[in-house]
Amino acid sequence: MGRIGEVQASVATRDALARGRLRASLVPDLLVEARRIVNTVIAGWHGRRKRGIGENFWQFRPYVEGDSSRIDWRRSARDDHTYVRDREWEAAHTVWLWADPSPSMLYKSAGAGVSKESRALVLTLAMAELLSRSGERIAWPGLTDPFTARNGAERIAAQLGHAGALPAKPDLSAIRRFCDVVLVGDFLDPVEETKAWLDVLARHGVRAHLIEVADPAEETFPYAGRTEFTDPETGDKLTAGRAEMLAEEYRLLYKARREELAAWCKRLGWSYTVNHTDRLASEALVRVHMAMTADGTNPGRAVA
């Protein structure tokens, strides 16, 4: 039977320097790919500006009875309609971005075009590019402070290229209300561990958007016969004499993990999106954009 999947690079689990060099070599090409993807979806990206309390002009709109906004008589004098002047809503707002750097993200099956790590980095850099073009403030926990710049994706890419070991799960306690957090990973840890890590965001009133990057082989479990499985995090090995006998139970557990996480996110008003590495990255960007521009008072939705 042919090989179904493999780890993308023969890097020791604890070799932080080698992992850093591998990531640095990937980043330039991934930045180019992220910008290519952004150019395919930018036409539908409207940003998240809206009217409210602020100093900057937003738009003119027709006056309706009972409207509390002040009438703009100069604009109204131009034709037979009465208009009010809206100002743009202003509030300190940052979008925090993060891609899972754990060894499990290096996996790539024969049916996938890229590794999970490559897809996660492309999605994160593409989000940085879109948000930067929209004038948003962005940051990466443990890597950058919040900043506003038109070249936001390039700046984050440069930081990633020079970073050594990145924490498997960064400290999120400094992120406060009125922020959005986009987390991209495989979320294969026990659900309770993931909830415990993200609970600080829920307590601080932060809105999170989880993007699960999944390899198609991880869902279908296409293994048969004598198969050796290696845990990329610990190096532990498991040998199955007839791997196909594990398939049904594995798929049930895999699906249950995702459904529990997605349901938990929905209860919090967060979004949960699944992006398969044999599908287009732009699909996840569009879905997350819809979730980020939705009214924050509405429940988030899980997308599989």
Side-chain angles (χ1 to χ4, degrees), residues 112-242:
V114 296
S115 68
K116 292 189 295 180
E117 179 183 53
S118 294
R119 174 56 57 86
L121 286 171
V122 163
L123 283 169
T124 308
L125 292 173
M127 283 297 305
E129 182 78 5
L130 284 167
L131 292 166
S132 294
R133 293 190 190 185
S134 300
E136 298 278 7
R137 192 164 61 206
I138 61 175
W140 184 301
L143 186 68
T144 71
D145 292 326
F147 66 91
T148 303
R150 294 290 294 178
N151 65 337
E154 186 175 341
R155 287 180 58 174
I156 286 182
Q159 291 285 342
L160 286 170
H162 291 90
L166 294 175
K169 291 179 179 177
D171 181 11
L172 304 176
S173 61
I175 302 176
R176 290 294 185 265
R177 194 178 178 186
F178 301 120
C179 292
D180 279 76
V181 180
V182 179
L183 304 168
V184 190
D186 54 18
F187 301 107
L188 292 179
D189 289 329
V191 174
E192 293 307 317
E193 290 185 15
T194 301
K195 288 181 180 180
W197 173 47
L198 300 179
D199 181 65
V200 66
L201 299 179
R203 287 189 281 107
H204 289 173
V206 177
R207 190 167 61 157
H209 310 276
L210 277 60
I211 304 178
E212 179 189 330
V213 177
D215 188 284
E218 292 177 322
E219 285 192 351
T220 60
F221 197 82
Y223 307 98
R226 184 177 177 81
T227 307
E228 182 182 81
F229 300 96
T230 303
D231 186 331
E233 309 287 340
T234 64
D236 294 341
K237 297 181 183 296
L238 169 68
T239 301
R242 297 179 62 189

Side-chain angles (χ1 to χ4, degrees), residues 29-39 121-122 125-126:
D29 289 340
L30 297 182
L31 179 59
V32 172
E33 175 66 9
R35 285 175 170 163
R36 184 192 68 78
I37 294 170
V38 165
N39 290 333
L121 286 171
V122 163
L125 292 173

